[in-house]
Amino acid sequence: MPELLNRKLWQNQLRLALARVAMIKRFHALETVDSTNHFARDLAQNRAPAGTLVIARSQSTGRGRLNRAWHSPKDLGLWFSLILRPRIDSRHLGLLGFLPAVALVEVLHQHYQLTASTKWPNDVRINRKKISGILCESQMSGNRINFAIVGVGINVYQKTDDFPISLQARATSIQESTPTPVNAIELLVSLLNHWHDLLMALESGDLGTIIERWKKHCAHLHRQIVIDCETEQIRGKFIDLSPEGAALIENERGERKLIFVGESTLVEE
Ligand code: BTN
């Protein structure tokens, strides 16, 4: 199909699909961009409303957590960022990235009978391989949240060879995990609608729902993990998720510690 027609078709499909999502007020559908999070941040700083979605067919320098790169090849996944101006206590801002992770796990189960799991902080995995990562950024004025950008990357159609060699053992895609044909745009609609319900729960102060559902889907709850933090490695049992989104870890001496930033790995992996 000629590229221009292909582009118009994609934009039209998105326009029709996103009309079914109450949370989305505006959207920018880009052929390619450095990072949808960068693009969304510029929009948010220029007063774009909550519910503005930026989605791209590819990203040239997609970003992951902890300054890593995020591989975002054209049309093989969903690469998007959502601008939010959540009406929540800033102490719970750290929970925001857990919502799309819970939503994705539940949508994959409902629509594709897939069992996916959450991994602290914001990964979603199938068979211990990553299918999605989430990058949250925010701007505050004192204690007030000006805006948050929630960037979501979902591997939808990649085959093993489509991932860089360094990722092939650790990443997979949804389509690699199910024989049912996956429609990325329909998946996006279901995910956003589910996410919206969770956001309303969070805004109404129902943190318990978010935390319990995330824990229910978490594969390493009550198991030994290692968390690589910037300056140290912390080893212990994953006990709980705090209302700030931190991991509560207990070491072999029974001492407990909250970890706010890091990368977790199950010890037996
Ligand atoms: C991670 O697992 O480290 C987070 C990955 C987040 C990737 C998404 S893709 C859309 C948005 N734009 C970016 O540059 N990053 C996020």
Side-chain angles (χ1 to χ4, degrees), residues 35-37 59 62-65 70 80-81 130 133-134 151-153:
S35 153
T36 55
N37 265 42
Q59 297 182 116
R63 291 183 309 120
R65 294 174 54 254
W70 181 264
F80 64 93
S81 302
K130 183 156 168 168
I134 294 155
V152 182

Side-chain angles (χ1 to χ4, degrees), residues 127-237:
N127 294 329
R128 298 188 171 188
K129 289 185 169 187
K130 183 156 168 168
I131 56 152
S132 174
I134 294 155
L135 176 67
C136 286
E137 298 173 294
S138 56
Q139 191 189 77
M140 312 277 299
S141 294
N143 270 341
R144 207 175 63 85
I145 304 166
N146 287 341
F147 62 79
I149 309 291
V150 186
V152 182
I154 305 176
N155 301 327
V156 182
Y157 297 118
Q158 291 101 322
K159 297 188 187 331
T160 306
D161 286 355
D162 294 316
F163 291 103
I165 290 174
S166 59
L167 293 181
Q168 289 181 2
R170 291 184 286 129
T172 189
S173 70
I174 298 172
Q175 193 61 87
E176 281 278 273
S177 315
T178 175
T180 309
V182 180
N183 179 322
I185 293 182
E186 283 307 312
L187 176 69
L188 177 67
V189 167
S190 307
L191 173 70
L192 291 169
N193 281 326
H194 209 87
W195 181 355
H196 190 201
D197 293 343
L198 293 167
L199 182 62
M200 288 197 294
L202 185 65
E203 289 191 331
S204 70
D206 186 5
L207 308 183
T209 289
I210 314 296
I211 292 172
E212 286 314 311
R213 277 163 68 179
W214 185 88
K215 278 162 57 181
K216 184 172 137 210
H217 303 313
C218 171
H220 53 268
L221 192 68
H222 305 308
R223 295 170 73 179
Q224 291 293 323
I225 62 168
V226 175
I227 301 188
D228 281 301
C229 305
E230 227 169 23
T231 50
E232 56 180 336
Q233 239 197 9
I234 291 162
R235 184 179 273 260
K237 196 191 276 183

